[in-house]
Amino acid sequence: MSQYPPLTEKEFELVEAYNTILNGPFEDKYEDKWEDEPFDIALKEFQARVQEIGFSNPFEFLARYNIDSYETMRAQFKKGPALCFRPGWKSPLIGESINIEAVLSKCHYVSGPLLDTRCRVVVIDFWAKWCDPCVQAGPGLSDLADEFKDRIAIIGIHNDNIFSSTNEYNIEELNDFLEENQDGFRYTIYIDNEEGFARDNVYNPGGYRGIPCILLVVDGVVKYVGSPQESFRPTLMQELETIEAGRAREE
C-alpha cells in the first residue's frame, strides 16, 4: 500500500527520464566532484524530454519526491545523498547495547510469535505500510524467519510517521493490512507507541534515514544497521557462524 496511487504511463516515463538523464549520471558527482556545465546540458535534455512526454509542469508530480523546481533539483544533486547512503557509512549504534525487551514493552504487540528471550540473534525491521520497499521486503524477511526458525527472531516495528515527530497510528488499519498480506508478513509485528518511543530511541539514533531499516542485534549488541538489500545477510550469516563455532568449542 502506497500513500500515492500507482504511476500513470506518463509519470512512469517521467521517472525513467529522470533516472536515465539525471540521477544515473549525477548521483555520485556531489560536493567536490560537482560541475555545473555537464549538469546544465543534461538538464536541457531532461526538459526537452519532459515536453515530449507531455508534462506542462513536472513538479506537480515530482513534489512527492521533494523536488519543486529545477533549482531544487540542482541543489539536491550538488549536495549529494545523506551520509547514511554514501559508501563506507557506519551507524553510530554499531557496537552499542540495546535492550530489546524494554523497547518492545513500550510498543503495542500486533501479531506473530512473542519474542523468545533465549534467542541470541534478533532482527528488527522498522517499516510502514505505505512504503512500497517495506512491503516488498516483507516476504524476504518472512522467508528468513522460516529458514532460521529457532535461531533468529525477526520483529517488525511499524510506524506510519517514522519521518516525523508525531505518531498518529491505527492498529485496526494495520491489522487489516496484515490480514490482506498474511503471506508477506509471517514474522512478529509490533506498532510503535503514541510517543514514537522506538523511533526516537532506536531508529533515529541509528542514523539510517530510510525504510525499511534493519537492525541486527546479537547478544544485545547492535551489529548492523541499514537496508535489507545491502550487506545485511552476509553479516547475519557471519554472526550465526560465529555463534555455532562458539558452541562447537564448548562441546
Side-chain angles (χ1 to χ4, degrees), residues 160-173:
D160 269 338
N161 303 94
I162 194 79
F163 298 126
S164 70
S165 58
T166 60
N167 194 39
E168 298 177 5
Y169 75 98
N170 189 313
I171 293 180
E172 289 73 21
E173 285 186 3

Side-chain angles (χ1 to χ4, degrees), residues 143-240:
D143 292 343
L144 198 67
D146 294 340
E147 181 180 355
F148 296 104
K149 187 178 181 181
D150 301 326
R151 297 179 67 190
I152 69 173
I154 299 183
I155 299 170
I157 299 181
H158 179 274
N159 188 325
D160 269 338
N161 303 94
I162 194 79
F163 298 126
S164 70
S165 58
T166 60
N167 194 39
E168 298 177 5
Y169 75 98
N170 189 313
I171 293 180
E172 289 73 21
E173 285 186 3
L174 180 56
N175 276 324
D176 290 343
F177 172 86
L178 293 172
E179 187 173 345
E180 295 174 2
N181 296 270
Q182 292 181 24
D183 291 339
F185 291 86
R186 302 189 302 276
Y187 48 98
T188 305
I189 301 295
Y190 281 76
I191 189 169
D192 206 355
N193 71 359
E194 294 88 339
E195 291 77 28
F197 180 88
R199 175 196 62 208
D200 295 342
N201 291 276
V202 182
Y203 173 80
N204 284 342
Y208 187 75
R209 293 297 171 257
I211 51 174
C213 174
I214 297 294
L215 275 76
L216 173 61
V217 183
V218 180
D219 294 330
V221 177
V222 179
K223 299 291 185 176
Y224 175 89
V225 178
S227 165
Q229 281 78 37
E230 295 174 1
S231 58
F232 162 60
R233 187 179 176 95
T235 305
L236 171 63
M237 296 306 299
Q238 182 179 7
E239 293 297 333
L240 290 174

Side-chain angles (χ1 to χ4, degrees), residues 15 78 198 203:
V15 171
K78 191 172 183 177
Y203 173 80

Side-chain angles (χ1 to χ4, degrees), residues 5-23:
L7 297 183
T8 65
E9 183 176 347
K10 284 175 58 176
E11 289 171 344
F12 181 83
E13 289 183 33
L14 180 64
V15 171
E16 187 176 42
Y18 176 82
N19 287 332
T20 302
I21 300 171
L22 296 175
N23 192 55

Side-chain angles (χ1 to χ4, degrees), residues 1-153:
M1 179 183 297
S2 172
Q3 60 180 333
Y4 298 109
L7 297 183
T8 65
E9 183 176 347
K10 284 175 58 176
E11 289 171 344
F12 181 83
E13 289 183 33
L14 180 64
V15 171
E16 187 176 42
Y18 176 82
N19 287 332
T20 302
I21 300 171
L22 296 175
N23 192 55
F26 293 97
E27 63 179 344
D28 61 350
K29 297 294 190 290
Y30 50 85
E31 294 182 346
D32 59 338
K33 298 179 182 178
W34 181 260
E35 294 182 12
D36 278 316
E37 186 176 352
F39 187 80
D40 289 337
I41 295 172
L43 195 57
K44 289 180 180 179
E45 181 183 351
F46 177 72
Q47 290 170 327
R49 180 68 183 122
V50 166
Q51 290 184 342
E52 289 177 5
I53 295 171
F55 272 93
S56 58
N57 181 9
F59 300 107
E60 291 180 355
F61 168 74
L62 292 174
R64 69 174 63 178
Y65 304 108
N66 297 318
I67 302 173
D68 56 14
S69 69
Y70 287 116
E71 285 310 307
T72 298
M73 191 181 291
R74 179 192 301 273
Q76 288 183 355
F77 277 110
K78 191 172 183 177
K79 180 181 179 182
L83 291 177
C84 63
F85 299 122
R86 300 186 186 188
W89 175 79
K90 180 181 177 182
S91 168
L93 275 186
I94 300 296
E96 297 294 323
S97 297
I98 179 173
N99 188 331
I100 296 175
E101 291 180 75
V103 173
L104 295 182
S105 71
K106 299 289 187 179
C107 301
H108 301 285
Y109 169 79
V110 179
S111 64
L114 295 175
L115 175 65
D116 184 347
T117 56
R118 297 170 299 176
C119 190
R120 297 179 60 184
V121 181
V122 179
V123 176
I124 300 176
D125 167 35
F126 281 97
W127 70 290
K129 63 182 183 297
W130 53 259
C131 164
D132 288 338
C134 298
V135 176
Q136 293 164 7
L141 291 172
S142 295
D143 292 343
L144 198 67
D146 294 340
E147 181 180 355
F148 296 104
K149 187 178 181 181
D150 301 326
R151 297 179 67 190
I152 69 173

